[in-house]
Amino acid sequence: MTDSPFPQDPHAPRPAEPPPAQPPSYHPGSAEPRLNRPVHERYPQIRPTSGYADPRVRHTGPGPGAGTEQEPERSSKLSARLALALTVLIGQLWALTIVVDEWMSGNTGTAWWGAGFLVLSFLVVLGLWALDPKDR
């Protein structure tokens, strides 16, 4: 269906079609030329001395030995302590579900024994924490 109520004259000249859009010329990094301007045009606030040549920069990095393990024995000790604490935590969560289930069933004697287990396991974790105060 056409917009006009009358049919077009087949002998009338047709309007010129616009040429197909040309893609922007290729620049490394982006298809849009405006993004491929030099850095100093895109970011005028960055000066040539911003960085390694800037006299305000005194320390360029974390220093020698950064990222390497300085005390592997301490790291392994802390990892083992963390594994024990997580194991106790999982046991506490399991025991808590059992205690709540027993309490709701009316078995209060079993629930009190479970509550005692929870307190004891908390004391174990507290003992692990107090084992070596210099590691905190």
Side-chain angles (χ1 to χ4, degrees):
M1 183 172 232
T2 62
D3 296 331
S4 172
F6 301 105
Q8 278 190 335
D9 183 7
H11 301 294
R14 294 182 178 227
E17 293 182 12
Q22 294 286 333
S25 60
Y26 173 74
H27 294 283
S30 177
E32 295 184 46
R34 67 181 182 83
L35 298 176
N36 293 309
R37 295 176 297 167
V39 173
H40 67 276
E41 289 180 16
R42 284 185 284 160
Y43 305 105
Q45 70 272 20
I46 299 177
R47 298 182 308 278
T49 58
S50 294
Y52 70 93
D54 195 341
R56 297 172 293 175
V57 176
R58 302 206 186 279
H59 303 289
T60 59
T68 60
E69 184 59 55
Q70 302 294 324
E71 298 179 53
E73 295 85 10
R74 180 175 179 264
S75 175
S76 63
K77 183 171 49 172
L78 290 175
S79 296
R81 205 176 297 166
L82 179 65
L84 282 172
L86 288 176
T87 304
V88 171
L89 176 70
I90 290 170
Q92 283 181 327
L93 291 173
W94 172 76
L96 185 62
T97 59
I98 299 296
V99 166
V100 169
D101 188 40
E102 291 296 320
W103 184 269
M104 296 303 235
S105 298
N107 300 332
T108 55
T110 308
W112 283 113
W113 279 107
F117 171 77
L118 288 171
V119 169
L120 180 67
S121 63
F122 175 75
L123 292 175
V124 167
V125 171
L126 197 60
L128 287 172
W129 178 75
L131 197 60
D132 199 359
K134 69 178 178 136
D135 277 340
R136 284 183 236 124

